[in-house]
Amino acid sequence: MYRCYLFDFDYTLVDSTEGIVGCFQRTLREMGRPPLPAIAVRRTIGLPMAEAVGTLLETKDEAVIEDFIRRYQPYADRYMTPGTHFFPGAVAALTELRQQGAKIAIISSKTSHRIQEKLDRSKAAELIDFVIGCREVAEPKPSPEGIFQALERLGMPKEAALYTGDSLVDAQAAKAAGVAFAGVTTGTTAADELARFPNVKIVSRLADLLPKA
């Protein structure tokens, strides 16, 4: 049905809990701050980094946020990719879509180089046409900018694309772009919350997105 499949990354294709929560807790410890509940950190996954840090530290002080991110970076360089794991069946679903001739891209609030590092190390890079991360857009999701950029690069009309994500910002971005949206419940957003936005389906695993033979 669709010729182009666009995906969020964290909690859509991969479980990055180990990497992100671990790096947050290490950074907090370095700063002399108490650890945060893992669920609190998990709920910010998918947000732009500065927004996630501000939310978790309950601050709008840019200097504090920038200091946290600066301290966080070395931990991310060491622990993020090893602590990020594809969900069961995710690579198989991407492979099946590729074999059917679909174009595939990732649109994420994460940096593209971090995503590419995971793709390269898992040998999934050949399944993805390109990655659009937070540094490739002027405005992060829920802005539709990343989706529009992907469609332009692929030479695809809106009607040919399905955008899949796990969070409300993904649903909002798809709605703003005017593309079909599929929600996955592999993150921290419940199915009924995702269902409040226009969607073609809400699934619990990526395999259920595959076109039926």
Side-chain angles (χ1 to χ4, degrees), residues 95-159:
T95 301
E96 178 66 21
L97 290 173
R98 192 56 129 185
Q99 290 174 345
Q100 293 179 10
K103 296 292 185 180
I104 304 174
I106 292 172
I107 303 167
S108 172
S109 297
K110 208 183 196 82
T111 56
S112 57
H113 85 273
R114 189 73 66 197
I115 296 171
Q116 192 63 50
E117 183 176 72
K118 181 61 185 179
L119 295 176
D120 291 340
R121 292 190 185 182
S122 61
K123 299 181 180 179
E126 63 185 20
L127 303 174
I128 308 297
D129 288 287
F130 54 82
V131 176
I132 296 176
C134 60
R135 295 176 182 168
E136 284 73 51
V137 295
E139 295 185 26
K141 296 177 289 186
S143 164
E145 181 183 350
I147 295 176
F148 287 150
Q149 186 181 138
L151 294 176
E152 182 177 1
R153 290 178 64 175
L154 292 169
M156 293 281 183
K158 296 177 183 180
E159 298 75 19

Side-chain angles (χ1 to χ4, degrees), residues 29-52:
R29 185 164 56 246
E30 179 181 322
M31 297 176 73
R33 289 174 174 262
L36 289 166
I39 186 60
V41 179
R42 291 182 64 224
R43 287 183 179 134
T44 67
I45 292 177
L47 295 176
M49 185 64 177
E51 183 178 345

Side-chain angles (χ1 to χ4, degrees), residues 5-60:
Y5 288 82
L6 308 176
F7 292 93
D8 174 49
F9 189 65
D10 292 313
Y11 279 167
T12 297
L13 294 175
V14 299
D15 183 352
S16 49
T17 300
E18 178 186 336
I20 293 177
V21 173
C23 290
F24 261 95
Q25 305 294 34
R26 290 181 178 94
T27 306
L28 290 167
R29 185 164 56 246
E30 179 181 322
M31 297 176 73
R33 289 174 174 262
L36 289 166
I39 186 60
V41 179
R42 291 182 64 224
R43 287 183 179 134
T44 67
I45 292 177
L47 295 176
M49 185 64 177
E51 183 178 345
V53 172
T55 298
L56 290 168
L57 299 188
E58 299 182 333
T59 183
K60 294 184 179 179

Side-chain angles (χ1 to χ4, degrees), residues 187-209:
T188 60
T189 307
D192 60 339
E193 294 179 82
L194 293 170
R196 295 172 188 165
F197 292 85
N199 67 85
V200 295
K201 60 175 65 176
I202 307 295
V203 300
S204 60
R205 56 182 189 142
L206 286 182
D208 293 332
L209 291 177

Side-chain angles (χ1 to χ4, degrees), residues 1 6 19 35 44 46 64 71 75 89 108 143 158 164 166-167 187 190 211:
M1 179 177 178
L6 308 176
T44 67
V64 172
R71 295 170 183 267
Y75 294 120
S108 172
S143 164
K158 296 177 183 180
T164 300
D166 69 284
S167 70

